[in-house]
Amino acid sequence: MRLWALAKNGQRREVQVEELWPHKGLLVLKFVGVETISDAEPLVGAELQLPSTERAELEPGWTYLSDLVGCTVFDGDREIGPIEDVTFGAGAEKRRCWL
């Protein structure tokens, strides 16, 4: 499987999953060509991206967060505005939609 890794510094690189396994409730990914801890360090904390054409089909009633961008938010009949971005963070602000 080919993915894009978006590093915290904004650099993007294509990676290919060679192997994966569960570890302490998480999933460990081994990428082709990443053989040492030094090779892997630039990927720590990177956002993994998959082309939208290769996403799994979701069950009815479910949506990908990225598909919310452009949708309009309403409070009852009152229009609040369109969603411009969805970001992820830490702590109490784990998910935030920008209007």
Side-chain angles (χ1 to χ4, degrees):
M1 171 186 293
R2 292 184 183 271
L3 303 167
W4 288 97
L6 177 63
K8 291 179 182 180
N9 65 6
Q11 290 187 346
R12 222 173 147 209
R13 75 184 245 201
E14 188 174 358
V15 292
Q16 183 176 355
V17 177
E18 180 177 320
E19 192 178 350
L20 55 98
W21 61 92
H23 179 71
K24 296 184 180 181
L26 299 173
L27 191 62
V28 177
L29 301 175
K30 162 66 173 87
F31 298 114
V32 172
V34 179
E35 305 301 331
T36 67
I37 290 175
S38 295
D39 292 342
E41 284 176 347
L43 296 169
V44 172
E47 175 182 298
L48 294 178
Q49 301 173 334
L50 176 73
S52 61
T53 57
E54 296 185 35
R55 296 187 302 189
E57 194 149 330
L58 298 176
E59 295 178 24
W62 289 85
T63 189
Y64 286 102
L65 288 177
S66 59
D67 290 342
L68 295 176
V69 175
C71 292
T72 302
V73 176
F74 287 87
D75 179 11
D77 291 335
R78 184 173 65 97
E79 182 177 321
I80 304 297
I83 296 175
E84 295 179 1
D85 194 14
V86 179
T87 59
F88 298 90
E93 298 182 8
K94 288 196 179 240
R95 292 185 178 96
R96 176 179 286 176
C97 293
W98 296 100
L99 303 176

